[in-house]
């Protein structure tokens, strides 16, 4: 139930309890297949946007699938028992999604040729998006203020743990030919080129008309208007829909309006310490 987790600062299972089973139980024995298409991300990084793109590339721009089946059934979560059941029933190619950090993902991934798309987002915007989303969640603690959530985030006391460990961990797969790393900011900067990049990675050639149809159906407004993609059908037991909207703003750089200068400086310091080994410029400071 709500707010049953220990307070930040103590060791606690970062995975929401109710419909996210402990991953070592739910996904530990899962066998990844070479035909699988897997979306991975830290929460609030644009997961549902890239999923929509992947699903629409598969149907070559035909929107009937994304308009008739909810997103979490089109590409279910591997870490939920319901998701796992749906994945087991899918025919190849299977589409699924996960927020698990690299060390908890089923090991069979690392010897498979499954196609993996890891989406990243400027962590400052991940904080803002996460804060608003966490106000709505009934399956985990709700922050009382952005200040409080900011502290949780920096310490990794949020569902799926530390952003720094998640991104740093999965980025170790850079250079593997079955992994594509893409950013939320890149999608914003050039959605056409991004969709082409993803379709090429998936080995699906789109005609100009098919590409146009994908683009038309993955705009913020199209997804906000699509009940199959906008989370409005998530049952009330999980989300308090009156508190915030899943398709909130959909912009890059909102952190500038919401983080204080002190928070932004504190963040930069932690970022520099924790991400020291990674190439600079991973995220534009939009
Ligand atoms: S979740 O809960 O982890 O699955 O959330 P996730 O899908 O990773 O991230 C949600 C944020 O992505 C934004 N979003 C989009 N932005 C632009 N265009 C499109 N089409 C789009 N679809 C989803 C969504 O609005 C959330 O960001 P914020 O900043 O909160 O608006």
């Amino acid at each position: 139930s709500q707010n049953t987790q220990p307070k930040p600062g103590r060791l606690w299972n970062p995975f929401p309890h109710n419909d996210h089973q402990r991953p070592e139980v739910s996904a530990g024995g899962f066998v990844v297949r070479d035909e699988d298409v897997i979306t991975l991300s830290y929460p609030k990084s644009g997961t549902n946007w890239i999923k929509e793109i992947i699903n629409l590339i598969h149907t070559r721009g035909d929107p009937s699938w994304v308009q008739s089946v909810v997103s979490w059934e089109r590409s279910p979560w591997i870490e939920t028992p319901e998701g796992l059941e749906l994945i087991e029933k899918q025919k190849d190619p299977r589409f699924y999604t996960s927020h698990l950090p690299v060390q908890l993902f089923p090991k069979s991934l690392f010897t498979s040729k499954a196609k993996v798309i890891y989406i990243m987002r400027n962590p400052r915007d991940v904080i803002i998006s996460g804060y608003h989303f966490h106000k709505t969640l009934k399956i985990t603690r709700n922050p009382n203020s952005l200040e409080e959530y900011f502290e949780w985030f920096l310490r990794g006391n949020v569902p799926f743990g530390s952003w720094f460990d998640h991104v740093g961990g999965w980025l170790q797969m850079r250079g593997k030919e079955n992994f594509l790393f893409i950013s939320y900011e890149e999608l914003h900067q050039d959605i056409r080129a991004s969709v082409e990049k993803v379709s090429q990675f998936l080995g699906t050639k789109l005609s100009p008309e098919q590409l146009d149809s994908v683009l038309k159906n993955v705009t913020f407004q199209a997804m906000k208007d699509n009940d199959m993609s906008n989370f409005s059908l998530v049952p009330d037991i999980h989300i308090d829909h009156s508190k915030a909207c899943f398709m909130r703003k959909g912009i890059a750089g909102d952190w500038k309006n919401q983080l204080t200068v002190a928070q932004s400086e504190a963040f930069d310091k932690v970022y520099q310490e924790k991400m020291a080994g990674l190439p600079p410029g991973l995220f534009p400071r939009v």
Side-chain angles (χ1 to χ4, degrees):
S1 63
Q2 196 180 347
N3 291 333
T4 53
Q5 314 246 8
K7 295 283 174 255
R10 288 175 53 191
L11 196 61
W12 59 288
N13 176 3
F15 300 91
H17 293 177
N18 286 2
D19 69 347
H20 290 71
Q21 266 185 6
R22 290 173 66 84
E24 58 273 34
V25 176
S26 65
F30 183 81
V31 179
V32 173
R33 296 184 196 152
D34 289 347
E35 298 78 10
D36 293 350
V37 178
I38 313 171
T39 302
L40 299 177
S41 66
Y42 188 82
K44 314 320 289 181
S45 302
T47 327
N48 286 276
W49 195 5
I50 197 79
K51 276 164 77 161
E52 204 84 346
I53 292 169
I54 293 168
N55 289 166
L56 279 154
I57 289 173
H58 180 65
T59 62
R60 293 183 157 72
D62 178 349
S64 46
W65 190 28
V66 301
Q67 289 174 355
S68 60
V69 180
V70 287
S71 60
W72 56 92
E73 290 184 10
R74 280 183 259 128
S75 188
W77 302 98
I78 195 174
E79 53 268 29
T80 70
E82 298 83 357
L84 208 52
E85 216 179 298
L86 287 169
I87 297 165
E88 301 283 7
K89 284 188 197 142
Q90 286 185 45
K91 296 200 190 87
D92 295 336
R94 305 185 302 179
F95 295 91
Y96 50 89
T97 309
S98 181
H99 287 319
L100 290 177
V102 66
Q103 72 275 18
L104 294 179
F105 202 85
K107 298 289 168 277
S108 52
L109 171 66
F110 306 107
T111 49
S112 85
K113 295 192 182 93
K115 294 206 163 80
V116 178
I117 299 183
Y118 187 87
I119 182 152
M120 304 172 283
R121 185 180 188 182
N122 185 326
R124 300 163 188 86
D125 282 334
V126 172
I127 295 177
I128 302 304
S129 181
Y131 166 61
H132 291 287
F133 187 60
H134 274 74
K135 290 192 294 193
T136 71
L137 279 182
K138 293 183 179 173
I139 53 169
T140 185
R141 293 173 304 170
N142 305 113
N144 293 312
S145 62
L146 175 56
E147 211 176 356
E148 183 176 46
Y149 185 77
F150 181 79
E151 290 302 321
W152 293 356
F153 186 95
L154 283 192
R155 282 193 265 172
N157 274 343
V158 284
F160 302 99
S162 156
W163 178 90
F164 304 96
D165 293 347
H166 202 284
V167 170
W170 280 110
L171 275 173
Q172 289 169 28
M173 300 295 140
R174 262 176 315 153
K176 288 191 103 189
E177 62 176 22
N178 61 327
F179 272 73
L180 177 70
F181 289 87
I182 197 159
S183 71
Y184 181 88
E185 289 73 24
E186 205 178 331
L187 297 186
H188 259 294
Q189 275 156 13
D190 194 339
I191 186 70
R192 181 174 289 269
S194 301
V195 171
E196 281 178 322
K197 188 177 186 177
V198 175
S199 65
Q200 196 175 12
F201 175 71
L202 296 177
T204 308
K205 194 153 177 42
L206 298 176
S207 70
E209 296 74 30
Q210 291 169 343
L211 175 60
D212 284 345
S213 181
V214 174
L215 295 174
K216 189 172 145 218
N217 287 287
V218 299
T219 63
F220 181 76
Q221 200 56 47
M223 285 180 61
K224 194 177 170 78
D225 292 342
N226 181 0
D227 284 344
M228 300 297 146
S229 310
N230 64 15
F231 272 45
S232 61
L233 298 175
V234 174
D236 288 348
I237 51 160
H238 299 305
I239 285 186
D240 181 343
H241 292 281
S242 69
K243 296 225 168 110
C245 185
F246 177 80
M247 297 294 292
R248 193 183 60 90
K249 282 196 183 170
I251 59 170
D254 195 29
W255 67 271
K256 287 184 180 167
N257 306 318
Q258 308 213 26
L259 292 186
T260 63
V261 172
Q263 281 172 330
S264 164
E265 285 173 3
F267 183 86
D268 287 353
K269 198 163 168 278
V270 177
Y271 185 93
Q272 274 153 22
E273 280 165 18
K274 302 223 181 207
M275 307 303 266
L278 290 168
L282 267 184
F283 308 97
R285 265 184 129 266
V286 279

